[in-house]
Amino acid sequence: MTFKVGDRVVYPHHGAAVIKKKEKIEAFGEKREYLVLQMVHGELTLRVPVDKAEEVGMRPPISRSDVEDLFRLIGKRDVREPANWSRRFKNHQEKMKSGDVYQVAEVVRNLALREAGKGLSTAEKSMLDRARGILVSELSFALDVSEDDALDKLNAGLQ
């Protein structure tokens, strides 16, 4: 997949971004072309080698039609997850690392349900906040709405 300046993309560990420019940088005696990403959430700027963009999981945001599937997933309440905290946490970490929006949505749903019922540990609260931020940033791109509106829609879907 070829990415160009101005494209909206999703970087797996940080969420939605806009490609601001391409630049050539010499590092370790080798000159490479990089995509400069400005994350929409926070002040983070990333440089991703053009030839590694797909390998690291960078991708276009989901389409508006995929959002319906995502909200169906979020709306499911019959969730099975390990009772053991460490297994559950590790499972959620793996889903976050995947960069797959549906797996991130599962983490948000599972942790939001657990938070409403039994409460969350500090680590799980932090993971929920991170997962929610990543998901909201992508939803705002997919629906072409502000992050606040995307968060409202997400929260409504979690009810």
Side-chain angles (χ1 to χ4, degrees):
M1 174 167 287
T2 306
F3 297 104
K4 60 187 184 307
V5 174
D7 281 354
R8 292 173 157 193
V9 297
V10 176
Y11 189 84
H13 300 287
H14 300 290
V18 176
I19 300 175
K20 289 298 186 182
K21 62 182 175 179
K22 285 185 178 181
E23 62 185 17
K24 288 189 192 257
I25 298 175
E26 186 172 334
F28 308 107
E30 184 182 344
K31 206 168 206 168
R32 292 175 97 172
E33 189 172 29
Y34 287 81
L35 298 168
V36 179
L37 309 181
Q38 179 64 53
M39 306 312 294
V40 296
H41 201 69
E43 298 295 314
L44 184 63
T45 300
L46 294 175
R47 284 178 178 76
V48 179
V50 170
D51 60 334
K52 299 285 186 190
E54 282 188 66
E55 189 178 317
V56 299
M58 200 170 91
R59 60 176 175 76
I62 59 172
S63 68
R64 186 178 280 271
S65 61
D66 290 334
V67 172
E68 289 178 34
D69 292 337
L70 194 77
F71 277 107
R72 270 194 292 282
L73 174 78
I74 288 170
K76 288 185 179 175
R77 296 293 176 251
D78 56 335
V79 177
R80 291 181 184 224
E81 57 181 356
N84 178 292
W85 181 90
S86 63
R87 273 204 198 107
R88 189 173 60 246
F89 191 78
K90 187 172 187 237
N91 187 351
H92 287 145
Q93 278 183 318
E94 292 302 314
K95 287 180 181 191
M96 293 290 293
K97 282 182 193 173
S98 77
D100 179 88
V101 68
Y102 295 99
Q103 291 194 33
V104 173
E106 282 182 26
V107 171
V108 171
R109 176 200 63 203
N110 295 351
L111 291 177
L113 287 171
R114 182 165 279 279
E115 182 178 46
K118 301 174 183 161
L120 296 176
S121 69
T122 305
E124 285 176 313
K125 282 181 188 174
S126 175
M127 182 180 283
L128 175 58
D129 289 344
R130 196 167 138 252
R132 186 180 281 137
I134 289 170
L135 188 57
V136 163
S137 69
E138 184 160 359
L139 283 172
S140 73
F141 273 6
L143 297 170
D144 202 23
V145 297
S146 71
E147 285 197 4
D148 288 339
D149 289 344
L151 179 60
D152 290 344
K153 288 181 187 304
L154 176 60
N155 288 336
L158 290 168
Q159 297 301 324

